[in-house]
Amino acid sequence: MYEYDVFLSYKRGKIPETWLNETFKPLFEFKLSNALGRINVPIFVDKTEIRNGVEWSSIIENALLKSKVMVALISPTYFNSDWCVKEFKCMFKRQQELWKRN
């Protein structure tokens, strides 16, 4: 059912992409792999998963639906971003639906 273990949500321009891709993501993958006891821990990051020239909004929506959890890297302007708010609300709504079922 899930394609990604984690969907990383962040405000572009406020989280340095070099830090995200070269420092945070590798360390996060390493720690998560150890915690889960698995080598492959798929993490969705828009910049590495979306090719230029494709309809990115549908890819993000699909990735949210196919991710177990979302990790939000909240910056001071995170909730000023329409897309960050949409991502947050989507996962929050999905979690509420799961709570109702249990």
Side-chain angles (χ1 to χ4, degrees):
M1 178 177 171
Y2 294 112
E3 186 175 336
Y4 304 99
D5 285 319
V6 177
F7 180 100
L8 282 182
S9 176
Y10 65 100
K11 172 76 169 98
R12 280 194 181 186
K14 294 301 176 184
I15 301 292
E17 290 179 28
T18 303
W19 173 82
L20 177 71
N21 292 314
E22 296 177 11
T23 304
F24 178 80
K25 186 179 177 222
L27 181 59
F28 184 65
E29 283 175 318
F30 175 75
K31 296 287 189 176
L32 191 57
S33 292
N34 285 340
L36 297 175
R38 289 191 279 128
I39 294 172
N40 184 23
V41 180
I43 297 174
F44 180 89
V45 178
D46 62 348
K47 276 296 216 182
T48 57
E49 296 290 327
I50 301 175
R51 295 182 316 275
N52 288 336
V54 297
E55 176 54 40
W56 56 270
S57 61
S58 61
I59 293 173
I60 288 178
E61 290 171 13
N62 191 45
L64 280 164
L65 295 173
K66 292 183 176 182
S67 297
K68 290 180 186 177
V69 299
M70 182 182 85
V71 171
L73 302 177
I74 298 178
S75 61
T77 59
Y78 179 87
F79 288 105
N80 293 339
S81 163
D82 290 341
W83 270 104
C84 290
V85 170
K86 286 178 185 178
E87 292 167 3
F88 195 88
K89 284 181 177 180
C90 177
M91 289 304 268
F92 185 77
K93 182 178 179 182
R94 201 179 84 181
Q95 185 60 43
Q96 286 179 319
E97 294 297 321
L98 289 172
W99 286 336
K100 287 178 187 176
R101 289 185 212 157
N102 294 326

